[in-house]
Amino acid sequence: MAVELDVMNSDRSLVPGMYATVKWPVRRGQPSLYVPKTSVVTTTERTFVIREKNGKAEWVNVKQGAADGDLIEVIGPLQAGDKIVTRANDELREAAPLKSQSK
């Protein structure tokens, strides 16, 4: 999205030809959940994350939202505190047993 901003530059720290990185806060009606980008799996049929439920893999459909570095917003039936697979792929089948790794 092209955006034009006017910025005060009284100390002349900005010079022509410089590029800026801008974080533009966006408000949502509901709280957002962010997961590592490597947790999101996209196939030709669906986009999902793999949640641990009773020690087994559960595929949870999500939509991707805004990205922030190595994290991506996910929109779907997830709750804060859900344990998800950080390096997920579609080879980890639904209901497969999971081993929890504590940090």
Side-chain angles (χ1 to χ4, degrees), residues 26 38 59 63 66 72 78 85 88:
V26 177
T38 57
W59 288 14
K63 292 182 182 177
I72 190 154
L78 292 172
V85 174

Side-chain angles (χ1 to χ4, degrees), residues 50-53 55-59 92-98:
I50 301 174
R51 172 173 52 195
E52 183 272 329
K53 185 172 183 180
K56 299 190 182 216
E58 176 185 37
W59 288 14
L92 182 53
R93 305 308 301 169
E94 187 99 45
L98 295 175

Side-chain angles (χ1 to χ4, degrees), residues 5-78:
L5 298 171
D6 293 323
V7 178
M8 297 296 294
N9 189 25
S10 57
D11 64 354
R12 303 206 185 269
S13 59
L14 300 175
V15 297
M18 291 179 88
Y19 289 90
T21 300
V22 177
K23 289 195 177 202
W24 199 297
V26 177
R27 292 184 185 233
R28 299 242 187 246
Q30 298 176 332
S32 297
L33 292 174
Y34 283 81
V35 299
K37 289 180 180 178
T38 57
S39 294
V40 180
V41 181
T42 301
T43 68
T44 55
E45 294 88 29
R46 64 199 283 194
T47 299
F48 62 94
V49 297
I50 301 174
R51 172 173 52 195
E52 183 272 329
K53 185 172 183 180
N54 299 323
K56 299 190 182 216
E58 176 185 37
W59 288 14
V60 180
N61 291 330
V62 295
K63 292 182 182 177
Q64 295 182 53
D68 185 10
D70 291 335
L71 300 175
I72 190 154
E73 178 185 30
V74 289
I75 302 156
L78 292 172

